[in-house]
Structures are given as structure tokens and as C-alpha cells.
Amino acid sequence: MLRRLFGGRRSAQEEFARGTAAAEAGRMAEGIAALRRAVELKPDYPEAHYNLGAAYRDVGNADAALAAYRRAAELVPKFADVHVDIASILRERRELEEAERSLKAALALKPDFPEALLELGNVHKGAGDWRAALEDFRRAVSLDPAFGRARWAAAVAQIPMLDDSETDREERRQAFARELGALEAWAATDPQAFRAVAEHQPFYLVYHEASNRDLLARYGKLCASLMQGWQQAAGLTPPRRGRRGTPERLGRDSRIRVGIVSAHFSDHSVWLAFVRGWVQRLDRQRFELHLFHLSAKRDAETEHAISLATGFHDGKGGWEHWARFIHDSRMDVLLYPEIGMDPTTAKLASLRLAPVQATSWGQAQTSGLPTMDYYLSAEALEPPDAQAHYSEALELLPGTGCWLPRAADGEREARPEPSFPAADVLLLCPGTPFKYAAEHDALLAAIAGRVPGGKLVFFRSKPEALSGRLERRLRAAFERAGLSFERHAVFLPWQDPRAFRAMLAASDLYLDTVGFSGFNTALQALQCGLPIVTREGRFMRGRLASGMLRHIGLDELVATSDSAYVELAVSLANDAGRRRGLRERLLGARGRLYEDDAPVRALEAFLERVVER
């Protein structure tokens, strides 16, 4: 009676229990609110801080999760698990040194702690030390043979993020194939094996200039078989085609229900390259468009996405809750713009949650998943034999497959004065470290040696350890060519977007990465009129810049061999007049890349065709 009279205020313990139960049930907003009340009522409540951190992490709010975990660690310094959770978030933020310190604290408390060793392996992998990472993962498995995530990590770590000069890529690919066999054997004996699926993904295979279809189809088959076992046990009946004409749809909105599943409805390369244009231009008279945002990240681009969507859905927590929610949303088609960057996305993509499912080139290679029916690519980007490299049916949209807003023109923005090293010719090399294969270091050294007064400009991206490894490898390549690295090349700090555009505008030539081309960065260069030298690759991922250049009629900037790449770069670097002429042509031709509705109209026709089939 007294509790009713005075408003029924719950105790910290009651709020803790309520919040924990709500979060576990997928009611994340309710769970977080209750757990926050618990710590407000009792600030020295370590369990509540810890569960609040876990809930924040499940919805993708890394900053809030880290703060909650750190408070739990302050309250219980000998709680080894929380140090691992802190390290995991720091590693995702690429703060590797601090993450390693947190893991050393955990291992000092529990020397034989498999979870800490798994996360230490993740830190070493992120720093480019794949050999140390493998050792950590294997030690974790030796301590706990049932530790599926460590087994999965050890298999995927066979493919290094960054090659060193001794890395044999073919040997690494064979090692990955052997480890897949071991994973298949283990998964057949462990009913909980599905929990390890996609926690680590063979993302870096995409940087090998080789067909990955067979390896990824085998990997995808394993992922799908395990996840579909969970789906059956969870009672989520796979939707079947033909549902639009069934009685359950009579009287409902006749528009096709399209869902896009991604963690990147934000200022991210996947959204900016092609998803934004699709979302902006799809005909809302014919299509309902639902966005399933798997991250908590929000920025101006997120708000733009929300304003365009029929429905914007986020904050569902872990992948099980997302799977049920998406399944019950009854989409006619699900589009996964990328499969490979985000574990939750990859888990969901391994399920059958809609009658028609497709992926696209946010991950620029086949998914290998039997649950993906189609792969949406572009005519300008694919080689003639493209279908042979996909397990999905390949659907080619016209041109570059993109609708790009003309307002993205970088020439219209006032720029700061760039601060460059002294050089006569600035050759911009803006790729992230893992885009530079060791086998192509000699090409860069050959260009540098034949451009008097030239300077190759690279950038230090986070983590610093990875950029440092690339710099040391390039130095060795220049030394083998008899060149001084300091004279011919420089690594600059990573630039914010505005400063980077200024550097593009002030540079003389853009050297595209070989094997895996740039797209968004190359597009920015074209917007500035900066000539690009690109070597057209065997696969779509090596043809992104060349596809754009050919699309606007600048085929002469596309080399078809390594030697032609060097010759073209040297010729242009040493000919200022020719570069000026190319700048003028680029500035005149770049408009062909913008506001092209043909890819969107083709996407609409594709969606109608595959749904009504």
C-alpha cells in the first residue's frame, strides 16, 4: 500500500532485474532505461554498470558502452572479463596500444583466460601481425577446445590483413582451405557452432587478385548451414516466393516491400557510393523502402536516410532479435549492400529472411552464401567473364550502377591551403595500407625512380602500427631499387575530408591502387579534375576507377598491365602540359557520372521481375 501511495518507485535491484530481462528479450530502449535508473539509484552497483555496458554495445553505442564498462572496472578492479570488453571496444576504435594494456591487465588476473587471448589475437591481427594473432587464437583453443569463436578466428586469420615481404599468398589460401576443413569437422559435432559464424570473416581475401568464388562458396555454405539450423530451431519459417498473390496479401498495400540491411546508413563509403542514390531515387509509388540500421551511429547522412525511408528501424540489440524482427517484417526483397564488414550483417545474410535476397559491391566480391540469390553490380565495372566469379546470379545495372548527386562536386567548396612536402610533382597514393600488395611495391619504386623531383604521398591511417608496417615494407622495396625513400616518398598524417579534398586539388597525379581500385576516393579526384592513373584489374574490385574513367571517355588513363601502368604514370608525371589538358577534359566530362537515373530504373525493373517471377 505504501509503495502505491508514494508512486511505486523501484529499488536499484528491481531496476537491474527489469532492465536485464528487457535487454535479453530485445527490448533495448526499455532495458537501457531501467539499467540507467539502477545506476542512478545505486552508483556503486558494478553488475548494473556492466550489464548497461553490454546493452549499449548490443545497440552499437560504443562510447556509452565503454564508459559503463570502465565504471564497472573501477568498482571491481579484479573483474577480468570487463577488461576484455573494454579492450574489444578500444580495438574496434583502432586504439590498439590501449586495448593491449587492458588485455594485459585481464591476463595478469587470469593467465589462462581464453576470451582475453582471443581478443589479444584480434589486436595483433589489427596491427598486421598475423603470425602473433594465429598463436594467440591457437592458444585460446588449446585452453578451451569448445571455444568456437577462437576456432573460427584461427581459420580466418590464415589470410593476413597486410602482407609482409615473406608472405606467400597462395600458401595462405591453401592454409585457409585446410582450416575450413577443420571448421567443418568441428561444426558437425557442436550444436552451438552457429554462435561463432561470421564473428571473424575472410574479408581480406578481396585484396587477392585471384578468383575467390570456390573458397567463399565453401565458407558461405558452412555459414548458411549453421545459421539455418538455428533458424529452424527458432521457428522462423523461411519465406517462400509467390507470397504477393496469396490471400494474406489481399487488401494490403500493393507496393513491393524492399528492405535494406546495413550497419552503414551514415557517412560511410558503402552508403555514399551507391546505396544513398538507390534510397533517394526508388519510386515510392511502387516500392515501400525499409532500412534496417544495425548500428547506433547517427550523423547527417543517417538523418537523410530516415527522411527518405518508408520505415527506419534500429536499436533491436543482438542478431537473434534482428533476425526475428526482419523475418516478421515480411519483406518481399532484402538487399544487403555489403556482406563482410560487419558480423551481425553476415549472420543475418546467412539466413533466409525474405523470399528474394541480394547483395552488392559494398563487399566487392561474391558472398559465397547460398542464401543470396543475386549480386547487383554494374556494366561499367565488370569484366566479360564476371559471372564465373560469383555464386549468386549476377545482375548488371547500367553504367556505374550509381546515382550520384551533383551537389557532391568538390570544386564548389572553399579549401584551406594544403601543406605539402617540397616537390615538383606530387603523386598522391591515398589507399589504405591493406590495399597495397607487396607484389606491387616494385611498381611504385619504378615510378619514383623515373620522375625527377617527384614525391609519392602516402597517408598514415589508424591503426598506426599497420601504416608503420607498410612504410617499412615500402622502404625496403625502394632500397632494393637503389632509391632513397625520404627523397622520393613521404607518409603524412590522415586528413579530415576537407583537408583531403584540398590535397587532391593541389596534387599533380593520382596513383590508383593495383588489384583493388578506389571508388569514392577516385570519384573525389575526378571531381577536382585530378588525373588518375589506374591499372585495370581482372575482377570488378580492380576496375572501379577504370570503370568510371571509361564511362566518361577517358580510356587513355587506363593501363592494362603492370608495365603499362608504370609507363603511363611516368609519362604523365613528366609532362605538365598533358596533365593540364587532362584536367580540362576531366572537368568537362565528369558530369556524366552524376544524376544518372538509368541504374535506378533498372534496379526497379529487377525488383519487380524477381518478386513477380
Side-chain angles (χ1 to χ4, degrees):
M1 180 61 69
L2 286 174
R3 290 188 60 183
R4 289 182 187 171
L5 290 174
F6 290 101
R9 184 178 182 183
R10 295 183 177 89
S11 68
Q13 290 80 5
E14 288 172 318
E15 294 287 8
F16 169 73
R18 177 171 169 263
T20 300
E24 288 177 345
R27 303 191 305 276
M28 303 309 295
E30 177 188 340
I32 288 171
L35 289 165
R36 287 183 63 178
R37 284 193 292 272
V39 299
E40 288 167 2
L41 291 167
K42 187 179 180 183
D44 60 345
Y45 196 167
E47 295 88 349
H49 285 287
Y50 185 75
N51 283 12
L52 179 59
Y56 273 130
R57 191 165 186 200
D58 277 349
V59 298
N61 191 338
D63 291 342
L66 186 60
Y69 282 144
R70 281 177 164 159
R71 179 58 180 147
E74 289 174 6
L75 293 169
V76 187
K78 293 186 178 181
F79 184 23
D81 296 68
V82 75
H83 293 292
V84 176
D85 292 312
I86 289 169
S88 180
I89 294 174
L90 292 170
R91 186 257 307 164
E92 290 169 358
R93 289 162 52 151
R94 301 183 183 181
E95 298 173 22
L96 300 188
E97 291 183 3
E98 192 175 350
E100 189 164 359
R101 284 194 291 271
S102 188
L103 290 167
K104 286 180 178 177
L107 289 166
L109 294 167
K110 290 174 64 176
D112 293 332
F113 190 5
E115 290 278 358
L117 289 167
L118 170 64
E119 192 52 50
L120 184 61
N122 292 336
V123 169
H124 285 143
K125 180 181 176 181
D129 192 349
W130 62 273
R131 293 179 176 85
L134 268 178
E135 185 177 340
D136 297 328
F137 296 146
R138 285 168 174 164
R139 187 179 166 204
V141 173
S142 70
L143 289 169
D144 182 3
F147 193 7
R149 288 188 296 130
R151 287 182 176 275
W152 208 278
V156 171
Q158 302 294 332
I159 307 297
M161 178 185 295
L162 181 69
D163 295 346
D164 54 37
S165 55
E166 290 78 40
T167 302
D168 182 334
R169 283 193 165 180
E170 184 53 37
E171 189 273 332
R172 290 292 85 214
R173 294 169 69 85
Q174 292 174 10
F176 177 57
R178 289 194 298 272
E179 290 295 325
L180 275 180
L183 271 185
E184 290 162 348
W186 160 75
T189 66
D190 190 333
Q192 294 296 306
F194 67 88
R195 299 200 177 278
V197 168
E199 290 296 314
H200 293 75
Q201 300 171 71
F203 176 82
Y204 297 100
L205 273 174
V206 75
Y207 298 102
H208 292 194
E209 200 168 15
S211 179
N212 294 323
R213 173 177 170 162
D214 291 345
L215 276 175
L216 289 174
R218 184 177 173 188
Y219 175 81
K221 181 180 179 181
L222 175 61
C223 292
S225 65
L226 293 174
M227 294 304 295
Q228 289 172 1
W230 172 85
Q231 181 170 355
Q232 182 177 9
L236 302 183
T237 304
R240 293 181 296 175
R241 293 198 185 201
R243 186 168 55 81
R244 286 178 56 76
T246 60
E248 65 195 39
R249 287 299 296 263
L250 295 178
R252 291 179 55 183
D253 191 334
S254 62
R255 291 180 297 172
I256 293 173
R257 294 166 60 83
V258 179
I260 302 180
V261 184
S262 177
H264 306 302
F265 295 110
S266 59
D267 187 4
H268 185 277
S269 58
V270 173
W271 168 255
L272 298 175
F274 61 93
V275 179
R276 178 174 60 182
W278 293 355
V279 170
Q280 189 165 325
R281 302 297 293 179
L282 274 173
D283 183 356
R284 295 304 189 276
Q285 298 300 312
R286 295 148 63 196
F287 303 95
E288 280 188 36
L289 188 58
H290 294 261
L291 307 183
F292 301 98
H293 185 38
L294 306 182
S295 168
K297 182 177 180 181
R298 286 208 177 196
D299 57 22
E301 292 294 340
T302 314
E303 297 306 315
H304 183 48
I306 293 170
S307 73
L308 296 169
T310 308
F312 185 89
H313 313 282
D314 62 355
K316 305 305 175 188
W319 64 266
E320 298 101 324
H321 302 304
W322 270 115
R324 291 185 171 90
F325 181 81
I326 295 172
H327 177 272
D328 293 345
S329 297
R330 306 184 72 79
M331 295 294 110
D332 297 311
V333 183
L334 281 178
L335 302 180
Y336 292 82
E338 65 82 19
I339 301 171
M341 298 182 189
D342 173 67
T344 300
T345 303
K347 271 186 156 68
L348 296 173
S350 300
L351 300 168
R352 174 60 71 175
L353 301 176
V356 180
Q357 301 188 153
T359 185
S360 193
W361 53 278
Q363 170 70 326
Q365 63 179 347
T366 183
S367 70
L369 290 169
T371 50
M372 288 297 111
D373 307 306
Y374 301 96
Y375 191 103
L376 295 167
S377 188
E379 291 174 351
L381 306 182
E382 291 286 0
D385 63 342
Q387 181 61 73
H389 309 301
Y390 292 92
S391 61
E392 307 89 348
L394 189 61
E395 184 74 18
L396 298 181
L397 303 180
T400 64
C402 303
W403 189 94
L404 298 167
R406 197 173 296 274
D409 188 343
E411 282 292 294
R412 301 180 184 178
E413 182 178 341
R415 295 185 175 85
E417 283 295 321
S419 177
F420 274 127
D424 296 329
V425 181
L426 292 167
L427 310 175
L428 213 60
C429 305
T432 48
F434 38 79
K435 281 193 173 184
Y436 290 97
E439 63 191 283
H440 300 138
D441 291 351
L443 304 182
L444 298 170
I447 293 168
R450 293 173 57 188
V451 181
K455 184 80 79 171
L456 275 65
V457 180
F458 300 89
F459 298 92
R460 290 193 182 92
S461 60
K462 279 190 172 185
E464 290 281 342
L466 197 63
S467 296
R469 285 178 177 273
L470 174 61
E471 183 174 354
R472 289 191 293 275
R473 201 187 74 201
L474 288 171
R475 283 180 179 276
F478 277 53
E479 289 173 6
R480 289 193 295 272
L483 301 173
S484 164
F485 187 82
E486 282 74 15
R487 178 180 173 184
H488 294 283
V490 65
F491 270 76
L492 297 180
W494 195 254
Q495 307 291 300
D496 66 46
R498 188 163 176 259
F500 181 66
R501 286 192 291 272
M503 298 184 79
L504 285 168
S507 295
D508 297 293
L509 202 61
Y510 175 117
L511 299 182
D512 191 26
T513 40
V514 176
F516 194 120
S517 174
F519 185 84
N520 285 295
T521 313
L523 177 62
Q524 291 180 61
L526 294 177
Q527 289 164 353
C528 295
L530 177 61
I532 297 172
V533 173
T534 185
R535 196 271 269 154
E536 195 163 53
R538 290 178 55 202
F539 309 99
M540 180 258 285
R541 54 191 178 270
R543 303 165 70 94
L544 303 176
S546 66
M548 284 192 287
L549 288 167
R550 290 191 187 280
H551 187 64
I552 64 174
L554 271 294
D555 300 55
E556 67 213 75
L557 292 175
V558 179
T560 56
S561 69
D562 289 354
S563 59
Y565 176 79
V566 173
E567 293 302 321
L568 179 58
V570 169
S571 173
L572 287 175
N574 290 323
D575 191 338
R578 188 178 172 195
R579 293 198 307 273
R580 283 193 296 273
L582 284 167
R583 276 187 182 273
E584 292 177 5
R585 289 179 58 201
L586 284 169
L587 291 173
R590 63 188 178 181
R592 300 176 202 171
L593 294 168
Y594 304 137
E595 298 182 355
D596 182 3
D597 272 331
V600 183
R601 301 289 83 82
L603 176 61
E604 291 170 344
F606 161 79
L607 292 170
E608 290 177 328
R609 184 176 76 248
V610 298
V611 168
E612 298 300 341
R613 180 174 294 170

